[in-house]
Amino acid sequence: MKKLADIALPLIVLAALLGFWEWKVAHDAIPAYILPAPSAIAEALADNFSSLMASLATTLMVTVLAFLAATAAALALAILFSESRMAGRIFNPYAVVLQVTPVVAIAPLILLWIGYDRMTLAETLIAALVAFFPVLSNTTLGLRSADFNLVDLMRLYGASRRQILWRVRLPTALPYLLSGMKTAGGLSLIGTVVAEFVAGSGAATGLAWRIIEAGNRLEIATMFAALALLALAGVAIFAALSLLEHALLHRWHESALKN
């Protein structure tokens, strides 16, 4: 019953907001080029469904590639940081620099260096840079949060550093890693959209380019339809990673156990 309420209440609020939006546009006679009604947006989505779905598939492909690349690289570097304090001192400042540097500022350089003939690779790299740091910082914290008593016990029994990492540090870091991945999933989508915006031109076929194209043509309803698909994609990514987190943690970790 509680799960049903958790799903139904947000949907009721959404329906009320959409109803008010529809009424407000009709009541105040707001021009469609300023704010289209939800019915007009739904009609634009239906009219352009195949092309918007193709653009969504392109955006999601880059998003998933960037997310996987960022997660793999961040996990490897976090393990290095946890095993070598010196490596952390040397490389962590550069990771922070990547995090605080606006991706919009470096995206044109990445596109120029990689080349517009390899657009997917350039967009994937840009999106991965955006998603990289949350996984790195969370996983590093998790690896360093392992119970030192368990670590000492493993050493007492003659366990190697690899065995301690596999048996103690990684299980401790798993909730932190999954939390960082949930943040990185949304950031991967944002990074992909930024990359597509910066790339411009017809070479980019993702949803971001469709938004620019619709805006230039004053097809505002189509623009809103593309925005809605991006929002739904972000929700789907978060939901999928939340399900993964629950599947991996619900049997043993306090954060996922039922109260």
Side-chain angles (χ1 to χ4, degrees):
M1 191 66 181
K2 185 178 180 295
K3 290 184 178 180
L4 181 61
D6 290 341
I7 296 174
L9 289 176
L11 291 178
I12 292 173
V13 172
L14 176 62
L17 289 174
L18 290 176
F20 175 77
W21 181 354
E22 185 80 27
W23 171 83
K24 187 68 174 175
V25 170
H27 181 268
D28 293 351
I30 300 175
Y33 60 83
I34 295 178
L35 182 65
S39 58
I41 296 172
E43 183 179 352
L45 177 60
D47 292 340
N48 300 276
F49 185 78
S50 59
S51 61
L52 287 175
M53 286 298 105
S55 297
L56 175 62
T58 300
T59 297
L60 285 178
M61 180 189 68
V62 175
T63 299
V64 171
L65 289 174
F67 171 75
L68 294 176
T71 300
L75 178 59
L77 197 57
I79 292 173
L80 177 62
F81 286 178
S82 69
E83 294 296 309
S84 172
R85 297 283 180 175
M86 181 60 68
R89 294 191 187 100
I90 294 173
F91 295 108
N92 192 58
Y94 296 103
V96 174
V97 168
L98 283 177
Q99 170 65 15
V100 300
T101 302
V103 69
V104 176
I106 61 175
L109 289 174
I110 294 174
L111 289 168
L112 180 64
W113 291 337
I114 294 181
Y116 285 84
D117 56 329
R118 293 184 291 177
M119 187 65 66
T120 299
L121 176 60
E123 292 175 351
T124 301
L125 179 57
I126 293 169
L129 288 175
V130 177
F132 173 78
F133 192 78
V135 181
L136 174 65
S137 59
N138 280 30
T139 307
T140 301
L141 176 61
L143 290 168
R144 290 177 176 173
S145 298
D147 189 337
F148 68 92
N149 291 311
L150 289 177
V151 174
D152 288 342
L153 182 62
M154 292 285 288
R155 287 172 178 162
L156 183 63
Y157 280 98
S160 64
R161 296 183 67 173
R162 180 179 299 179
Q163 289 173 321
I164 294 174
L165 174 65
W166 183 252
R167 300 287 184 178
V168 179
R169 296 193 186 278
L170 283 176
T172 302
L174 182 59
Y176 297 83
L177 170 63
L178 293 170
S179 178
M181 288 170 61
K182 286 167 67 177
T183 303
L187 290 178
S188 298
L189 181 61
I190 293 172
T192 301
V193 170
V194 169
E196 291 175 353
F197 273 135
V198 173
S201 80
T205 58
L207 277 177
W209 171 247
R210 293 304 306 275
I211 291 172
I212 295 175
E213 183 182 48
N216 291 338
R217 296 178 178 180
L218 290 181
E219 297 174 352
I220 309 303
T222 304
M223 179 190 295
F224 270 86
L227 284 170
L229 288 177
L230 279 176
L232 290 174
V235 171
I237 291 171
F238 184 84
L241 292 172
S242 296
L243 287 175
L244 175 64
E245 181 183 45
H246 178 74
L248 294 177
L249 301 182
H250 78 282
R251 292 184 180 274
W252 63 277
H253 197 264
E254 293 85 349
S255 65
L257 292 175
K258 294 182 179 179
N259 296 323

